[in-house]
Amino acid sequence: MAELLLELFMEEIPARMQVRAGDDFKRLVTDKLSTAGIAFSKAEIHSTPRRLALLVDGLPTAQADVRDEKKGPRVGSPEQALAGFLKSAGLSSIDQAEQRDTGKGVFYFAVIEKKGGATIDALPGIIDAAIRELPWPKSMRWGANEFMWVRPLHSIIALFDGAVIPGALDLGAESIAYGNQTEGHRFLSPGTLTITSFADYAAKLAAAHVVLDREERKRLILAGAQAAAKAEGFVLKDDPGLLEEVAGLVEWPVVLTGAIDNQFMDVPAEVLTTSMRTHQRYFALETADGMLAPRFVVVANRSTIDGGKAVIAGNERVLRARLSDAKFFWDQDLKVKLEDRVAGLKDITFHAKLGTLAQRVERIEALSVAIAKALNWDTTVVEQAALAARLSKSDLTTGVVGEFPEVQGIMGRYVAYHEGQPAAVAEAIADHYKPLGPSDRVPTDKVSIAVALAEKIDTLVAFFGIDEKPTGSRDPFALRRAALGVIRLIVENGLRVKLGEVVKRHLPLVARSAGASVGHDVGKDLEELVFGIVGNANPVAAEDLHAHLKPYVSDAAKQTILVDVFNKCLRGASDVLPFFYDRLKVSLKEKGVRHDLIDAILALGGEDDFVRLLARVDALSNFLATDDGKNLLAASKRASNILRIEEKKDGPHDGAVDAGLLTQDEEKALADALVAAYKQATPLIEAEDFTGAMAAFAALRPPVDAFFEKVTVNAPDAPVRANRLRLLSQIRATLNLIADFSKIEG
């Protein structure tokens, strides 16, 4: 068995592209080896800022002989069919084919034997194709070459079983021959290295100041940074993303510690760390109580004779310039109150079809108040939610956020505290963006919850209202994330809110903004108009909308434009709640909850209280895990199947059961049990005691089992048959108090 070693050596690869490029290169080469019938035992990829290196081990030096059979036409077939068979099989005469009796006739068979060639002969084409097919987010040309690549490519190692693979990559104006040479560290070990194997490659690179293994570089960086922090009496701020990026910037990591001037320490810590992280790739240090320390860690790509003193001084000088800008913006921003910045939001377009950021803030404020009131929170919470919502986007006009967009919301919180705003208002300004993802913290303070919900619901209703919905591959406005954020805010805080009603009540505000975006804002009257025609958020006939609009807009052309805007809003809003349900199912599926149980609850309609919905799902899941639940599910499906068949013959069999037509004890017992279960379960369901309701249903198992065992549903007497079918319908209706059992799998 032999090994294949490939190295693509080039100018610095952007750090964010290295891991994906390595995985893609490994996939392309190994897939092509498999397609060519070349087996291997393992493949591993390595990446540094200047190279991608692939080792494929356990390859045969020669490919096995291949014997293939191709079935042809029946003996005696027309000449045209025979000619086509000969051509496809590579035969010159039909006499070269075998005749076999297959039991269905005698057919021609071509036996094709191909001698296995040397593996090395197949490799040049595989390597060339893999390099050319390697996808890069961005590519460039250099020199007079037509070849596109992420950065100029300098050399290619291509070794098989220790020998150089013959071949070259044609760049257009020049070519790069496959070889056995590479380079070490650009500054610490200049010059070429001649390679004979992967073990030799790894050892010579290590000696030439290149840590080939990415995970090893990460380990060295993290251990060095933690030790440097400890030496200063601080702790390293956890930042896995920055660690991943820095590992892609250095081949020989050297950890150094620098100082932050005290004059900058009154600037918000998030601004300082954002500047250090985003612009300089510095690690922040913290005190034992989590405060930002006046120190940073920088990872250099080389060691120096002065122990890094010049490197540290240079980085401190660069950081000082960066932080001087941040401090200037911070000092200037504090001179203008957040309330005074609200007017400036009128000059910022939120979306061409949805008006300005000021209009969006008005919608969020109104919705925050509506949510707080719907949850029966006290007057102070309602007032603070309104204030926090009104100020929530004000920091977008600050110089700090203009320079560091990552701190929007956070900047507003600092300014709010500086102004003496209530803590709940200041925290809500920062938290109204949360949660930003599945692992992000969910706000728990009432004011923060109200504004965070309003911000996300407005996003969803607004973009659905202009038909900007997510597709399979596109979600440019992060609507899936917004929906999951709403779900987490509601579920994790146990909020009893009817989401469908909230969406419907918010629609008029969105419609008003959408109308204003096309130059037809008729003020609050427009909101009242849309409130009057929303109904169930279904589209309204155009002529009806025209009639509604006449008292407000006399111009027929303007009416036509607004009719289109309104109907888009109505159609879009009708899809918002189903979108929430889809996201909820995705979220619960990841936690192991069966999607069919959710469908069974949702099929009953009208369930937009997610806390109650999940309680029903949980009770149903527990019930179906019992023998009573499993048997009742089977009985429900049996009843539904019988009803479906019989209803095709003579229509629905709803209605009350006639006690006078019940002739057998088993059907009488079932009828009594259904009435009792219905009476017992109904108040329990209204009281949201779904577990108790399930216990009431469990009592149905014995009479249901006895009924199906002893009673013939399709009795010869037509009235008796119809009555028994109504009894089956009662089974279905009673169980449907909690869920549509027909939607449950199993």
Side-chain angles (χ1 to χ4, degrees), residues 60-102:
T61 55
Q63 296 169 265
D65 295 342
V66 177
R67 188 177 189 274
D68 192 19
E69 293 185 353
K70 184 178 182 66
K71 183 181 178 183
R74 188 188 299 271
V75 173
S77 296
E79 287 295 326
Q80 188 176 2
L82 296 177
F85 167 60
L86 292 175
K87 183 177 181 181
S88 66
L91 303 180
S92 58
S93 168
I94 197 64
D95 295 334
Q96 294 176 288
E98 297 180 4
Q99 297 182 21
R100 295 183 197 168
D101 188 347
T102 64

Side-chain angles (χ1 to χ4, degrees), residues 83-382:
F85 167 60
L86 292 175
K87 183 177 181 181
S88 66
L91 303 180
S92 58
S93 168
I94 197 64
D95 295 334
Q96 294 176 288
E98 297 180 4
Q99 297 182 21
R100 295 183 197 168
D101 188 347
T102 64
K104 297 182 179 180
V106 180
F107 289 82
Y108 287 111
F109 282 82
V111 179
I112 305 166
E113 295 185 351
K114 186 183 296 183
K115 297 292 289 183
T119 300
I120 197 169
D121 294 339
L123 294 178
I126 290 174
I127 297 169
D128 188 86
I131 293 174
R132 294 184 185 280
E133 293 174 22
L134 183 60
W136 294 102
K138 292 183 179 180
S139 295
M140 62 179 290
R141 292 187 178 91
W142 64 97
N145 298 301
E146 291 300 315
F147 184 73
M148 299 285 291
W149 198 247
V150 64
R151 292 291 186 271
L153 190 59
H154 292 314
S155 65
I156 300 172
I157 288 180
L159 291 178
F160 179 69
D161 201 19
V164 175
I165 299 169
L169 179 68
D170 183 4
L171 304 180
E174 56 185 334
S175 64
I176 299 176
Y178 300 159
N180 62 352
Q181 291 188 328
T182 188
E183 297 180 22
H185 193 281
R186 186 190 293 273
F187 305 111
L188 300 177
S189 298
T192 59
L193 306 171
T194 301
I195 306 302
T196 60
S197 66
F198 179 75
D200 182 54
Y201 174 72
K204 286 180 176 175
L205 282 181
H209 298 91
V210 175
V211 179
L212 178 64
D213 186 272
R214 184 184 188 88
E215 293 304 314
E216 176 64 8
R217 293 200 304 277
K218 287 167 60 177
R219 188 192 68 76
L220 291 171
I221 293 167
L222 181 59
Q226 289 173 335
K230 185 176 181 181
E232 295 284 340
F234 302 121
V235 294
L236 182 71
K237 180 178 173 62
D238 187 42
D239 196 337
L242 182 58
L243 176 62
E244 193 72 42
E245 184 176 10
V246 172
L249 296 174
V250 296
E251 290 191 322
W252 190 255
V254 176
V255 176
L256 303 169
T257 308
I260 304 172
D261 283 0
N262 285 330
Q263 62 174 313
F264 302 122
M265 296 307 294
D266 63 338
V267 178
E270 291 86 351
V271 176
L272 299 183
T273 55
T274 297
S275 180
M276 291 192 296
R277 184 187 195 279
T278 305
H279 298 299
Q280 304 304 127
R281 275 68 176 179
Y282 297 161
F283 290 91
L285 305 186
E286 295 179 332
T287 61
D289 56 359
M291 302 297 290
L292 181 67
R295 297 287 186 276
F296 66 90
V297 164
V298 58
V299 181
N301 191 32
R302 58 179 298 182
S303 54
T304 58
I305 58 175
D306 66 352
K309 291 180 180 178
V311 174
I312 293 171
N315 280 278
E316 288 178 342
R317 186 167 55 251
V318 172
L319 181 61
R320 195 176 301 117
R322 288 282 186 188
L323 297 187
S324 293
D325 291 342
K327 180 171 175 54
F328 171 79
F329 288 130
W330 166 248
D331 291 340
Q332 293 301 114
D333 290 338
L334 290 181
K335 297 177 181 179
V336 182
K337 289 188 175 182
L338 291 175
E339 188 75 58
D340 295 337
R341 292 182 178 276
V342 173
L345 300 178
K346 295 178 181 178
D347 300 324
I348 303 175
T349 299
F350 171 59
H351 188 280
K353 295 181 180 180
L354 292 167
T356 66
L357 204 51
Q359 290 172 308
R360 172 160 159 79
V361 166
E362 288 177 4
R363 296 196 304 268
I364 294 173
E365 180 180 350
L367 186 54
S368 298
V369 169
I371 290 171
K373 288 181 176 179
L375 291 168
N376 296 316
W377 289 339
D378 61 45
T379 303
T380 300
V381 172
V382 173

Side-chain angles (χ1 to χ4, degrees), residues 450-462:
V451 184
L453 275 175
E455 198 266 351
K456 292 165 184 59
I457 292 172
D458 176 74
T459 297
L460 287 156
V461 178

Side-chain angles (χ1 to χ4, degrees), residues 596-619:
D596 59 321
L597 302 188
I598 303 172
D599 289 336
I601 303 294
L602 294 179
L604 302 182
E607 187 56 276
D608 57 354
D609 179 333
F610 285 172
V611 172
R612 185 172 61 202
L613 169 64
L614 295 183
R616 295 175 79 155
V617 169
D618 188 54

